[in-house]
């Protein structure tokens, strides 16, 4: 069995394993939750708190609202697709911006010295806290609510994707082997040509892994933005509103969660493909 | 093999062969029909181009791998038993020191595994540090030491349990020339003080001659012993020895023996300095 | 290096970002004053500082709630991740099952699961959020420590073989210590993530006294200056976590500082 085939089989098996654990705990766990070592550690196992796995799946097929025409599946799917487009746009813009800023910082040392600490700090500080601010700023404009939604979500996604790409690109540009740089100098190559022919290709092993983080960050940013906004478009908002109905219709929440999971996975697969394409001609990174 | 007739040879290799990937397309005859005896207290160098099997032979003696044919008697027992009884110490090209342990705790490692108590271990490691002339560095960490000093600690560790046999696989290979020569002198001093038998694998002809009583020349494809050169420079060697005419004669003798060993068509890796 | 050169060197490093920061704040302040931007849209930097120092206890309390959640999750996830990796090291099947989950948790805005978790516990419990952080940290640490366990130094392994050491001795004396750098690097990576997840988890229901909810409510309301003050508080918590875990790594795994290959 080849490694790739094995990995492919393991994926659904892993989820089946989790589902089995879920049901097993549900069967034996205490109805109203329990305490372990004095902490209320064990979750409640009633159908309200932990619906059966098959109920979650079957809920997909039934209508979203009582008497409504659309099934949850179609609602969740279209919401997920909407969020995906926003997240992808945010990812692309954030990446391009990050690379551009990194190139500028590589060119102008003063700029690098001025901005670098902030870039590093951005990796450790939860900049996602600024989400409400960006969304609040949107209230300032006069556009309609729907546009405001995706602009705000995109902005936040861009903001979150930008930083890891900028940091990684700069690091990659700065770690060109000095011997190669000296070669280009001896060939009297101007700065921009050296950048394109040497430093950029050499930086690819650094940029590629950062893209994965950027992709995931864009998704998180977009989903969080959607949750904070007042218009039910996109999968984030669905999660929140279904969550509010959780006491009457528990499995509904999980359907939205599945949608968000699919969103994240699709983005991850996409970025992984881009990664593979970029790294085609590179030996595995030694980092 | 009659063990009782063993008059105290440290190592006896009889008819040993080692084949990798037997029967497959990429079969390698690393060693074919090797016979070698190392007497107690002797210093033997193994030298040859890449692929001649010298490292494999060392690992067979150490029982880190098994022969395809033949037998190895170490310290009067099978190589396997000798390893279980910890009858030898070993040093590699990388010092293999544990970064998270102090120098003295690195030296104590084999003693710990043997179950010695702390006081006894501490006393022995102090003794070994004196032997390799690094007593002030007991509480230092390996990364604070230079490459040469790290190898000295590795040698101290290899001798910590006072084994009668020391197996060394190019331990000075990663060091620069000056440090190397210094380490060679140190090794000779240590071995004369402890009377240890040594089997030493190297790529360097001067190193092989300077250190050994006997230089065993090997050649590849298939790996075998092609010549043995008795050095005969006596045990009392110094820096002056390197400039003696007998030294140059032996070096030439080894070099010529090597020339008959397909050095040309292999990627030779022979250090002719 | 002379003192003069050293001072000049440190100035060159410190000055540009400080100047940039000060300039940025000054421009911000000026823009708000000149354009007469209302305080409920964008506050002045001075107003933010005022909010912060007027009642530091307010911001601190929220920081503590979120911070503790992040810390509990970070420690729990690290311990479980480490133990899990060591125990399952022998069983390839377990690693194969966990890896897809690790990939998913990394890719999916896993935070959405918090809504689910909160559903499973009482309304005033912080457990859901702590579990969320634990899960995220667990996978990071598990993957890294597993990688570390596979990273066997050939010389050290041959050495242990020459000592006729038992597999358990090899695990205890060589392989587990060799994973320490991986463990503490993973903790340093996971620390800021723990804070972020603790924070974002608060958007999904549960108690309303953590940084996430406070920031959200104040920034959506009219007291923007206070909202920014909370943001500053959140940034400080993030920095503290990063600094703390970096310090821990520096102290426990000092040989990472300078590897001399010998």
């Amino acid at each position: 069995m080849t490694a790739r085939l094995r990995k492919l089989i393991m994926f659904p098996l892993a989820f089946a394993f989790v589902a089995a654990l879920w049901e097993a705990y549900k069967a034996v766990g205490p109805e109203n939750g329990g305490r372990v070592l004095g902490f209320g550690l064990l979750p409640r196992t009633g159908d309200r708190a932990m619906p059966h796995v098959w109920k979650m799946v079957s809920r997909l097929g039934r209508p979203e609202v009582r008497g409504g025409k659309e099934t949850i599946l179609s609602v969740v799917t279209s919401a997920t697709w909407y969020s995906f487009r926003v997240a992808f746009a945010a990812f692309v813009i954030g990446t391009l911006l990050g690379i551009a800023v990194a190139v500028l910082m590589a060119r102008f040392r003063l700029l690098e010295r001025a901005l670098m600490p902030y870039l590093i700090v951005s990796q450790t500080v939860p900049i996602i806290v600024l989400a409400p601010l960006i969304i609040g700023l949107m209230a300032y404009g006069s556009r309609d609510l729907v546009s405001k939604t995706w602009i705000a979500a995109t902005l936040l996604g861009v903001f979150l994707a930008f930083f890891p790409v900028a940091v990684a690109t700069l690091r990659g540009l700065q770690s060109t082997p000095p011997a190669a740089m000296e070669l280009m100098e001896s060939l009297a190559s101007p700065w921009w040509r050296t950048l394109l022919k040497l430093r950029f290709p050499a930086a690819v092993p650094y940029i590629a892994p950062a893209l994965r983080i950027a992709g995931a960050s864009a998704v998180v940013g977009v989903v969080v933005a959607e949750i904070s906004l007042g218009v039910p478009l996109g999968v984030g908002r669905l999660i929140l509103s279904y969550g509010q109905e959780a006491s009457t219709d528990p499995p509904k929440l999980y359907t939205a969660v599945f949608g968000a999971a699919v969103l994240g996975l699709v983005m991850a697969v996409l970025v992984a493909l881009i990664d593979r394409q970029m790294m085609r001609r590179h030996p595995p990174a030694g980092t | 093999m009659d063990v009782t007739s063993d008059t105290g040879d440290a190592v006896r290799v009889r008819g040993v062969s080692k084949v990798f990937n037997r029967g497959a397309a990429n079969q390698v005859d690393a060693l074919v029909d090797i016979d070698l005896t190392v007497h107690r207290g002797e210093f033997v160098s193994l030298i040859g181009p890449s692929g001649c099997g010298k490292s494999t032979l060392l690992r067979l003696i150490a029982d880190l791998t098994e022969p395809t044919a033949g037998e190895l008697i170490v310290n009067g027992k099978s190589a396997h038993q000798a390893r279980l009884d910890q009858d030898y110490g070993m040093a590699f090209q990388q010092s293999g020191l544990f970064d998270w342990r102090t120098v003295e705790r690195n030296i104590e490692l084999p003693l710990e595994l043997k179950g010695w108590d702390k006081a006894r271990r501490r006393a022995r490691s102090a003794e070994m540090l004196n032997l390799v002339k690094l007593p002030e560095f007991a509480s230092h960490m390996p990364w604070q030491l230079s490459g040469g000093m790290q190898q000295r600690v590795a040698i101290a560790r290899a001798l910590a349990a006072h084994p009668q046999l020391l197996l060394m696989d190019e331990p000075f290979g990663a060091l620069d020339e000056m440090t190397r020569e210094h380490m060679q002198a140190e090794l000779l001093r240590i071995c004369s003080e402890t009377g240890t038998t040594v089997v030493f694998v190297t790529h360097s002809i001067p190193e092989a001659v300077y250190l050994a009583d006997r230089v065993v020349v090997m050649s590849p494809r298939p790996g075998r012993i092609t010549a043995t050169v008795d050095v005969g420079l006596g045990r009392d060697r110094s820096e002056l020895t390197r400039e003696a005419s007998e030294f140059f004669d032996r070096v030439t003798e080894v070099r010529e023996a090597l020339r008959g060993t397909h050095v040309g068509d292999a990627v030779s890796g022979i250090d002719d300095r | 290096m002379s003192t003069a050169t050293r001072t000049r060197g440190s100035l060159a490093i410190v000055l540009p970002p400080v100047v940039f920061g000060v300039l940025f704040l000054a421009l911000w302040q000026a823009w708000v004053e000149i354009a007469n931007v209302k305080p409920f849209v964008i506050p002045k930097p001075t107003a933010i500082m005022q909010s912060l120092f007027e009642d530091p206890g307010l911001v601190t309390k929220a920081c503590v709630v979120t911070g503790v959640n992040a810390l509990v999750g970070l420690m729990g996830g690290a311990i479980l991740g480490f133990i899990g990796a060591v125990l399952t090291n022998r069983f390839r099947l377990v690693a194969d099952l966990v890896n897809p989950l690790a990939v998913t948790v990394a890719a999916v805005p896993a935070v959405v699961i918090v809504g689910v978790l909160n559903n499973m516990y009482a309304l005033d419990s912080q457990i859901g959020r702590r579990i969320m952080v634990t899960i995220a940290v667990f996978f990071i640490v598990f993957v890294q420590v597993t990688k570390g366990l596979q990273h066997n130094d050939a010389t050290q392994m041959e050495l242990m073989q020459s000592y006729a050491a038992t597999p358990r001795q090899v695990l205890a004396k060589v392989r587990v210590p060799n994973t320490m750098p991986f463990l503490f690097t993973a903790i340093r990576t996971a620390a800021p993530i723990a804070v972020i997840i603790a924070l974002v988890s608060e958007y999904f229901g549960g108690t309303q006294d953590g940084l996430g909810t406070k920031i959200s409510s104040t920034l959506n309301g009219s007291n923007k200056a206070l909202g920014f003050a909370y943001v500053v508080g959140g940034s400080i918590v993030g920095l503290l976590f990063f600094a703390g875990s970096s310090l821990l790594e520096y102290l426990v795994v000092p040989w990472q500082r300078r590897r001399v290959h010998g």
Side-chain angles (χ1 to χ4, degrees):
Chain A
M1 194 188 286
T2 65
R4 208 178 282 178
L5 190 63
R6 193 192 165 94
K7 257 198 229 170
L8 231 65
I9 295 181
M10 277 305 164
F11 238 90
L13 263 182
F15 290 115
F17 178 65
V18 173
L21 272 180
W22 180 273
E23 289 299 327
Y25 177 74
K26 203 166 145 54
V28 301
E31 178 83 26
N32 281 317
R35 309 188 76 81
V36 173
L37 304 171
F39 297 104
L41 222 45
L42 299 174
R44 308 190 287 233
T45 54
D47 276 355
R48 283 252 176 89
M50 283 178 72
H52 282 289
V53 175
W54 52 86
K55 282 237 180 73
M56 293 183 211
V57 175
S58 67
R59 188 70 182 81
L60 278 172
R62 293 188 351 254
E64 188 201 5
V65 267
R66 213 165 294 230
K69 266 176 275 176
E70 290 190 78
T71 62
I72 285 223
L73 184 60
S74 63
V75 172
V76 169
T77 310
S78 55
T80 307
W81 173 236
Y82 179 87
S83 299
F84 177 74
R85 281 177 292 160
V86 177
F88 189 69
F91 167 68
V92 169
I93 298 174
T95 302
L96 292 175
L97 225 77
I99 294 180
V101 169
V103 167
L104 283 174
M105 283 174 75
R107 179 76 181 86
F108 303 108
R109 281 226 71 200
L110 189 62
L111 195 66
E112 180 217 333
R113 271 191 259 136
L115 292 182
M116 193 54 162
Y118 295 103
L119 277 186
I120 295 183
V121 162
S122 76
Q123 302 282 283
T124 70
V125 155
I127 48 181
I128 198 164
V129 296
L130 295 173
L133 173 72
I134 297 182
I135 291 153
L137 273 178
M138 292 281 98
Y140 206 24
S142 53
R143 288 192 194 82
D144 67 280
L145 213 50
V146 176
S147 315
K148 270 199 275 229
T149 318
W150 65 257
I151 293 178
T154 313
L155 262 178
L156 192 60
V158 167
F159 195 63
L160 291 179
F162 161 81
F163 286 102
V165 174
V167 171
T169 308
L170 186 61
R171 210 168 125 236
L173 289 175
Q174 288 173 338
S175 28
T176 334
M181 291 289 284
E182 285 174 354
L183 177 67
M184 293 303 269
E185 267 186 57
S186 74
L187 294 172
S189 166
W191 194 85
W192 295 98
R193 176 121 54 89
T194 311
L195 179 76
L196 251 87
K197 291 215 174 290
L198 170 65
R199 298 178 77 182
F200 236 96
V204 165
Y206 291 83
I207 302 180
L211 287 185
R212 289 175 189 255
I213 300 176
S217 305
V219 170
V220 171
V222 164
V223 172
V224 168
E226 290 173 351
I227 287 171
S228 315
L229 285 167
V231 178
L233 269 175
V235 76
R237 195 60 192 164
L238 271 188
I239 292 179
L240 200 56
S241 57
Y242 288 3
Q244 285 159 355
E245 296 178 45
S247 37
T248 50
D249 193 353
K252 219 176 178 189
L253 172 62
Y254 289 85
T255 60
V257 171
F258 290 161
V262 168
L263 168 65
L265 280 173
V266 169
M267 179 64 113
V269 168
L270 203 63
V271 176
L273 285 174
I274 296 176
D275 187 319
R276 182 115 58 88
Q277 195 57 9
M278 283 174 79
M279 295 287 284
R280 237 176 334 153
R281 277 185 263 132
H282 286 259
T287 3
Chain B
M1 191 83 243
D2 187 358
V3 169
T4 55
S5 74
D6 168 9
T7 50
D9 289 334
V11 178
R12 289 170 98 185
V13 180
R14 290 281 172 271
V16 161
S17 300
K18 177 69 183 174
V19 177
F20 291 106
N21 301 320
R22 187 187 220 149
N26 52 353
Q27 171 169 325
V28 173
D29 291 330
L31 290 169
V32 166
D33 210 26
I34 303 289
D35 284 315
L36 178 68
T37 303
V38 180
H39 308 292
R40 286 207 192 282
E42 205 183 358
F43 196 121
V44 169
S45 291
L46 300 179
I47 193 168
S50 299
C52 69
K54 55 194 190 296
S55 290
T56 311
L57 180 55
L58 197 74
R59 276 169 175 71
L60 282 168
I61 297 173
D63 189 48
L64 294 179
T65 183
E66 282 179 353
T68 320
E71 67 178 347
L72 299 110
I73 308 292
V74 176
N75 207 26
K77 354 176 160 154
S78 71
H80 182 68
Q81 193 59 43
R83 179 170 69 92
L84 293 178
D85 293 343
Q86 287 287 281
D87 283 346
Y88 68 82
M90 194 154 181
F92 305 84
Q93 189 166 10
Q94 314 295 324
S95 69
L97 297 180
F98 292 1
D99 288 313
W100 55 91
R101 286 177 170 232
T102 58
V103 161
E104 63 187 349
R105 282 207 67 221
N106 261 292
I107 296 176
E108 290 169 19
L109 178 65
L111 310 174
E112 256 177 61
L113 294 172
K114 281 182 139 180
W116 287 25
D117 65 81
K118 187 159 184 190
R120 202 173 159 212
R121 291 198 313 252
R122 211 24 76 89
R124 180 57 66 84
S125 65
E127 177 195 329
M128 300 318 294
L129 277 170
N130 278 324
L131 183 65
V132 299
K133 301 229 183 102
L134 290 173
E136 336 72 87
F137 290 93
S139 308
H140 280 64
M141 303 301 286
W143 39 269
Q144 294 173 308
L145 271 53
S146 73
M149 292 159 84
Q150 288 181 15
Q151 278 298 20
R152 271 148 75 182
V153 174
I155 292 172
R157 178 182 60 190
L159 292 172
H162 285 184
Q164 295 183 311
L165 176 63
L166 191 58
L167 301 174
M168 307 183 92
D169 192 357
E170 301 190 59
F172 307 146
L175 306 174
D176 65 85
E177 187 74 13
M178 281 80 68
T179 313
R180 219 170 160 161
E181 288 191 356
H182 176 69
M183 293 295 294
Q184 288 160 11
E186 284 293 288
L187 182 62
L188 279 184
R189 176 186 62 80
I190 294 167
C191 290
S192 67
E193 281 183 38
T194 56
T196 323
T197 313
V198 183
V199 181
F200 190 99
V201 168
T202 180
H203 264 155
S204 159
I205 303 176
E207 181 170 78
V209 173
Y210 183 75
L211 290 172
D213 297 316
R214 241 192 320 151
V215 177
V216 173
V217 177
M218 300 177 70
S219 82
R221 292 195 312 274
R224 63 196 181 286
I225 297 177
T226 49
T228 308
V229 175
D230 280 313
V231 174
L233 285 171
R235 278 281 97 205
D236 233 339
R237 304 185 193 181
S238 67
E239 292 314 306
L240 292 175
T241 316
R242 293 187 205 272
E243 293 159 24
S245 58
E246 295 96 0
F247 181 75
F248 286 118
D249 288 340
R250 293 294 160 275
V251 168
T252 310
E253 218 180 305
V254 172
R255 189 178 298 128
E256 282 173 359
L258 277 164
R259 252 189 231 133
T261 67
H262 312 294
V263 169
D265 38 56
V267 175
S268 96
I270 283 296
D271 197 338
D272 231 354
R273 283 178 277 180
Chain C
M1 230 200 292
S2 70
T3 351
T5 339
R6 219 179 287 152
T7 336
R8 223 180 296 145
S10 355
L11 268 180
I13 296 180
V14 172
L15 223 48
V18 170
V19 169
F20 181 80
V22 170
L23 229 72
F24 180 76
L25 287 173
L27 280 171
W28 180 349
Q29 181 91 6
W31 174 57
V32 172
E33 304 262 14
I34 295 175
N36 204 10
V37 181
K38 298 282 185 292
F40 52 80
V41 179
I42 300 257
K44 295 185 254 204
T46 45
I48 299 173
M49 300 301 272
Q50 208 179 354
S51 265
L52 250 180
F53 291 114
E54 209 166 58
D55 191 356
L58 203 62
V59 174
T60 315
K61 225 183 294 173
C63 289
V64 167
V65 172
T66 310
V68 168
N69 284 346
L71 191 63
V72 169
L74 182 64
M75 295 197 304
I79 294 174
L80 287 174
F82 181 75
I83 295 177
V86 171
L87 284 180
T88 62
N89 183 241
R90 321 200 66 213
F91 306 108
R92 184 141 173 245
L93 183 66
V94 178
D96 281 346
L97 278 177
V98 173
N99 271 321
L101 295 178
V103 168
T104 313
V105 170
V108 166
V111 186
V112 299
I113 303 178
V114 179
V116 164
L117 284 171
N118 279 334
N119 210 19
M120 297 199 293
Y121 289 95
L123 273 171
D124 64 343
S125 164
Q126 301 284 350
I127 295 280
R129 299 160 181 181
R130 292 178 186 176
I131 292 188
M132 191 64 240
V133 177
T134 306
I135 292 176
V137 172
F138 168 83
F139 282 108
I140 295 176
V141 171
F142 182 91
V143 167
Q144 283 299 305
V145 174
T146 301
K147 189 155 59 129
L149 281 171
Q150 291 164 350
H151 230 250
N152 291 322
D153 185 318
T155 303
Q156 289 176 352
M157 295 306 280
E158 282 204 296
L159 195 66
M160 292 306 271
Q161 195 186 357
S162 79
Y163 293 147
T166 64
R168 202 190 302 162
Q169 280 175 322
V170 175
L171 186 68
K173 292 197 185 290
V174 178
R175 299 178 69 208
V176 165
N178 261 325
T179 64
M180 286 298 121
F182 289 85
L183 174 64
F184 285 92
T185 303
I187 291 180
R188 176 170 53 83
T189 310
I193 293 180
V195 175
I196 292 177
I197 292 194
L199 223 143
V200 180
S201 312
E202 296 172 15
Y203 292 149
F204 295 83
T207 63
Q208 298 288 301
D209 54 356
L211 274 173
T213 43
K214 286 285 187 233
I215 291 175
S216 178
S217 54
T218 50
L219 281 181
N220 278 327
S222 54
N223 192 352
K224 293 274 202 294
L226 184 59
F228 270 84
Y230 277 117
V231 171
V232 171
S235 310
I236 294 179
V237 173
L239 275 170
L240 276 176
F241 267 69
F242 180 72
S245 54
S246 298
L247 186 67
L248 196 65
E249 189 184 14
Y250 185 76
L251 289 174
V252 176
V253 191
W255 61 92
Q256 284 283 70
R257 299 183 229 156
R258 211 170 52 103
R259 253 242 138 103
V260 176
H261 288 285

